[in-house]
Amino acid sequence: MEKDFKHIHLIAVGGSIMHNLALALHDKGLKVTGSDDEIYEPAKGRLTAAGILPEQEGWFPEKLDAKPDAVILGMHARPDNPELKRAQELNIPIFSFPEFIYEQSKDKQRIVIGGSHGKTSITSIIMHVLKHMGRKFDYAVGAQLEGFDRMVKLTDDAPIIIIEGDEYLSDPIKRKPKFHLYYHHIGVISGISWDHINVFPNPDMYREQFRIFAEMTPKAGTLIYNQDDEQVQLAAVPRNPADIAYIGYGVHEHSIRNGKTILHTKKEGDIEIQLFGEHNLRNINAAKEVCKKIGIKAHDFYEALKTFKGAAKRLEKLGENSHSVIYRDFAHAPSKVKATTEAVKGQFPQRELVAVVELHTFSSLNKNFLPQYAGALDKADEAIVFFSPKTLEHKRMEMISEEELKAAFKNQSIIVFTDSSALQQHLTSRNWQNANLLLMSSGTYNNLDLEALKQAIL
């Protein structure tokens, strides 16, 4: 380790990745303190169990008078945060989350998975395979994965670290994309489709962040990229290819039989897997190329893949019977909504598909961004769009009409709901014989009762 930290203070410790970092540091035996103005479950319960939940919510500059060895600043904090100001006055080293992860993994091989979509899935496949193989590795990933009790792991002895590289900003002061701060040896770009309109006001500026990432690949490093994505080609295709390995990947060879996906491989024959959808068949190939680079043989990769169920909330099966399946997916950006809708329809072409998407992020509710959703729900037999007027109010954004949504999605048959009980009523009262339901959101549809919905459908 570069620096021997003994006491670390986290500003905005309640965030999903920040509280996981706090727990990881606590696991290492460091003294961990923190603050936040709001802490919700599961962070609250997990920090309490570790004995590191702040005594009260709010910001307390006097906490910094103990002079911790470092302060880690979460994205949720504002530039005028009183604890941040005190840390600056006291000249305490201040790190953003990615800067600190880099600081702790300078001596490791760093593998960074970037892309507008697919990065969580690719990262989790790699982690699943490494765990299956009994390999030692550290990680930082943006979702809770099955078989891993933390989203962050930092040890002194693991030779590699797998990082999900987000293009969003690192912290409120420096405002650099997170994935520019990890300094990868092996980088992946899984796909590029404009997102985060509040930070990158146009698609060119957004793509530029991936070009910078690609160009940060060091001498003798590797860049693995989705060769079928035109935007990725523009960002990743080499200017000076001599000293870097560029590896393009596409969709894994496969077929679908009775709603099951079968991979076709040269040496291992046919392999039935639990994932499906063209986007996931690309994610598998990206993960396979990374695993190959770190010495995992194809046989072992496929053996591990058979038991991989997928990342939480990524085409997660909520329930099924003989004629219906309910899936939940984190998809909310246009490219994800389109890929996920097409995946479920492609897997069950004989069944009706009811696809529901919730718009509740800054980008998805922005009238300038909405046209990016054109055609995203076309493969659904019944397409439903839900948003809460309260969310628009809270974000101080303009109200959206049904007509504007139909025009943006280029789909006159979409049904629009702004009230979750009306949506619940609509879904529970329809006939689900030979029909599947796909729920896409990074929110909760204003507290839709999923359990009751499941009972009614199945």
Side-chain angles (χ1 to χ4, degrees), residues 173-311:
I173 325 177
K174 301 185 198 74
R175 297 178 68 80
K176 279 183 88 169
K178 289 184 192 138
F179 69 165
H180 292 175
L181 297 167
Y182 296 120
Y183 301 100
H184 62 276
H185 301 106
I186 297 174
V188 175
I189 303 181
S190 62
I192 301 176
S193 53
W194 184 32
D195 199 356
H196 310 305
I197 187 173
N198 51 329
V199 180
F200 309 113
N202 62 63
D204 293 343
M205 195 174 159
Y206 180 73
R207 186 179 67 220
E208 177 64 8
Q209 310 315 313
F210 290 91
R211 190 191 62 74
I212 294 166
F213 174 75
E215 295 210 334
M216 288 177 80
T217 309
K219 245 191 165 81
T222 301
L223 188 72
I224 295 165
Y225 65 96
N226 176 354
Q227 65 193 17
D228 301 329
D229 185 315
E230 198 181 324
Q231 295 298 311
V232 173
Q233 293 273 6
L234 289 168
V237 167
R239 320 233 160 137
N240 179 15
D243 48 10
I244 290 170
Y246 287 87
I247 300 168
Y249 67 88
V251 176
H252 198 295
E253 268 191 62
H254 68 287
S255 56
I256 299 167
R257 298 178 205 148
N258 308 321
K260 299 277 182 214
T261 299
I262 316 290
L263 295 185
H264 305 313
T265 71
K266 286 193 182 85
K267 288 185 178 164
E268 307 301 316
D270 285 359
I271 295 162
E272 187 182 307
I273 56 163
Q274 301 180 50
L275 295 183
F276 66 88
E278 191 172 280
H279 61 304
N280 275 325
L281 290 151
R282 280 184 211 285
N283 295 339
I284 287 168
N285 265 350
K288 185 166 156 258
E289 292 297 347
V290 171
C291 287
K292 195 156 74 183
K293 273 280 162 197
I294 51 177
I296 286 168
K297 295 184 169 66
H299 169 79
D300 296 324
F301 176 81
Y302 289 120
E303 203 49 49
L305 190 63
K306 288 178 193 171
T307 57
F308 181 68
K309 291 192 180 111

Side-chain angles (χ1 to χ4, degrees), residues 19 40-47:
H19 90 269
Y40 301 110
E41 293 299 350
K44 197 171 204 165
R46 298 175 82 194
L47 291 171

Side-chain angles (χ1 to χ4, degrees), residues 59 76 78 86 131 155 165 199 206 314 324 349 417 421 452:
W59 311 113
H76 165 66
R78 293 174 188 270
R86 179 65 61 90
K131 188 180 180 194
T155 62
V199 180
Y206 180 73
R314 305 300 195 280
S324 292
F417 285 95
S421 51

